[in-house]
Amino acid sequence: MLNPIIENAYKVLDGGVLTREEAFDIAEKIDGEDILDLVSLANKVRKKFAGATAPCSILNAKSGVCSQNCRFCAQSGAHHTGIETYDLVSKEEALAAARNVYATGVRTFGYVTSGYGYKQATPEFQKILETLDLLHKELPDLKICVSLGILSRETAKLLADHHAWRYNMNLQTNPKRYAELISDTHSVEEKIQTIRFLQEVGITNCTGGIFGLGETWRDRVEMAFAVRELGVEGSPLNVLLPIKGTPLENTPVMTAADVVKSVAVFRLVNPGIMLKFAAGRETVMKDFQGLLMLSGLSSLMTGGYLTTRGRSVEDDMKFIEQLDRF
Ligand code: SF4
């Protein structure tokens, strides 16, 4: 017999909306074999409202030495992680990386830089705009997603004028606990304001976060609702891979069951958006990766993440092709 909490959540399939308390009930009370019933519902909701979207791939165009102190991040200058650091890559290097991605069949390319962001059109920001122009000229059907941190209305508009299609700005966790769980060198309000500027200039948004930072079930539900309330088009979800040298290095890794449940709840709260999984698929989920994909995800980030490697692009493409069989 179906657990009554899940039975109630079936209203999402008919266009109904979960309240915060209903979502919280699912997150906190559904466990054991009921998780598979939850997965089944989340996949039906995904199939009906979101379908499946081809994977995307990213380039870390500037690495490390970041002035910010995000607790999970290998690239913060405040931590000692020993990762490779480099300045902004040249536009030719970015084009070569984009061509490699294109050759694998991927048509969405993320250009990502470390750092606080660009509230002014600095010389470095101008170099980024020139890069976007070059990518668009050489690979016109490649969708360009950028992730550059905090923006002003002016810099958001410039990105729109230079072919940026989508922007990645993650809330990372429950916005109300951002300063405590993520960073106190910038605020979540600045991030939300950036998303508003992007929406004003017509750039779509990919806004998600990380599970397993030490947050509660309530925090996970709050993040899902914050994403819903922002009205963004997509959401990347990650699971923390504790990195040596960061304040979270000794954080226990989430169980596969808790990751699956977190994704399923996120999907039930956000039925129609593109939901993709990024870091943590291979390392945390291992043999449960397929189950994760069936828990409401509609896409993947492929070909490696910012500071960790991932599964082959070819395998991921095949994976997505078969998703709609379920
Ligand atoms: S997440 Fe971004 S802003 Fe935060 S430390 Fe890492 S690179 Fe810097």
Side-chain angles (χ1 to χ4, degrees):
M1 220 179 70
L2 206 53
N3 183 306
I5 296 174
I6 298 178
E7 203 174 339
N8 173 58
Y10 261 80
K11 67 179 173 184
V12 177
L13 257 188
D14 298 324
V17 175
L18 287 186
T19 65
R20 273 180 161 74
E21 285 315 307
E22 286 169 335
F24 182 55
D25 252 11
I26 298 171
E28 213 178 44
K29 295 184 185 157
I30 295 301
D31 211 351
E33 64 263 34
D34 287 344
I35 293 176
L36 282 183
D37 291 332
L38 177 65
V39 165
S40 169
L41 171 59
N43 187 54
K44 285 177 186 166
V45 170
R46 186 275 308 165
K47 190 161 180 157
K48 181 164 182 184
F49 297 106
T53 310
C56 70
S57 203
I58 57 174
L59 165 70
N60 201 12
K62 178 184 175 188
S63 177
V65 211
C66 178
S67 60
Q68 306 301 296
N69 67 353
C70 302
R71 290 162 59 79
F72 64 87
C73 182
Q75 303 197 66
S76 167
H79 316 322
H80 304 284
T81 57
I83 58 151
E84 185 192 2
T85 64
Y86 48 86
D87 286 337
L88 195 71
V89 300
S90 69
K91 57 185 178 190
E92 291 76 18
E93 286 171 300
L95 177 60
R99 283 198 199 282
N100 283 341
V101 163
Y102 194 90
T104 64
V106 172
R107 291 291 177 270
T108 309
F109 178 67
Y111 178 98
V112 183
T113 57
S114 65
Y116 168 79
Y118 301 88
K119 279 185 154 174
Q120 273 146 16
T122 58
E124 187 170 280
F125 187 77
Q126 298 286 354
K127 203 170 148 188
I128 292 171
L129 297 180
E130 285 170 24
T131 303
L132 301 185
D133 286 344
L134 181 67
L135 294 179
H136 178 71
K137 179 167 160 268
E138 296 296 323
L139 299 165
D141 62 334
L142 188 70
K143 288 179 179 158
I144 306 170
C145 176
V146 276
S147 183
L148 312 174
I150 311 288
L151 301 174
S152 62
R153 185 180 275 112
E154 179 204 0
T155 49
K157 175 76 173 71
L158 284 166
L159 288 175
D161 293 343
H162 290 263
H163 317 290
W165 165 72
R166 182 159 284 182
Y167 201 86
N168 165 240
M169 170 64 87
N170 288 335
L171 296 178
Q172 309 298 17
T173 191
N174 176 2
K176 295 187 192 84
R177 294 190 65 208
Y178 190 87
E180 180 192 344
L181 290 171
I182 304 293
S183 168
D184 58 11
T185 50
H186 58 276
S187 71
V188 76
E189 286 76 21
E190 292 174 274
K191 292 185 145 195
I192 290 170
Q193 182 62 72
T194 297
I195 294 167
R196 297 287 181 223
F197 289 147
L198 291 158
Q199 288 171 328
E200 277 174 33
V201 300
I203 295 179
T204 59
N205 285 277
C206 192
T207 301
I210 307 173
F211 298 130
L213 299 154
E215 76 283 2
T216 63
W217 281 112
R218 175 75 68 181
D219 291 326
R220 290 176 195 148
V221 168
E222 287 295 339
M223 179 170 84
F225 274 85
V227 164
R228 178 163 104 188
E229 284 153 15
L230 280 168
V232 298
E233 288 76 10
S235 198
L237 299 175
N238 302 267
V239 178
L240 180 76
L241 308 168
I243 294 169
K244 202 167 174 340
T246 66
L248 300 183
E249 66 177 328
N250 296 318
T251 305
V253 176
M254 276 177 95
T255 63
D258 280 351
V259 176
V260 160
K261 209 163 68 151
S262 305
V263 172
V265 171
F266 203 96
R267 169 56 77 196
L268 296 183
V269 175
N270 293 280
I273 69 174
M274 183 272 303
L275 211 55
K276 74 173 55 172
F277 210 82
R281 268 199 292 140
E282 299 88 348
T283 42
V284 177
M285 297 310 288
K286 297 192 171 73
D287 287 347
F288 291 104
Q289 221 183 127
L291 182 65
L292 175 73
M293 282 310 295
L294 296 175
S295 61
L297 297 175
S298 55
S299 191
L300 292 172
M301 188 176 288
T302 187
Y305 317 113
L306 287 181
T307 55
T308 54
R309 301 304 305 164
R311 202 169 65 158
S312 86
V313 176
E314 203 184 9
D315 283 349
D316 281 344
M317 298 280 269
K318 284 191 195 136
F319 204 59
I320 286 289
E321 273 165 30
Q322 298 206 26
L323 183 59
D324 260 351
R325 290 286 309 283
F326 291 90

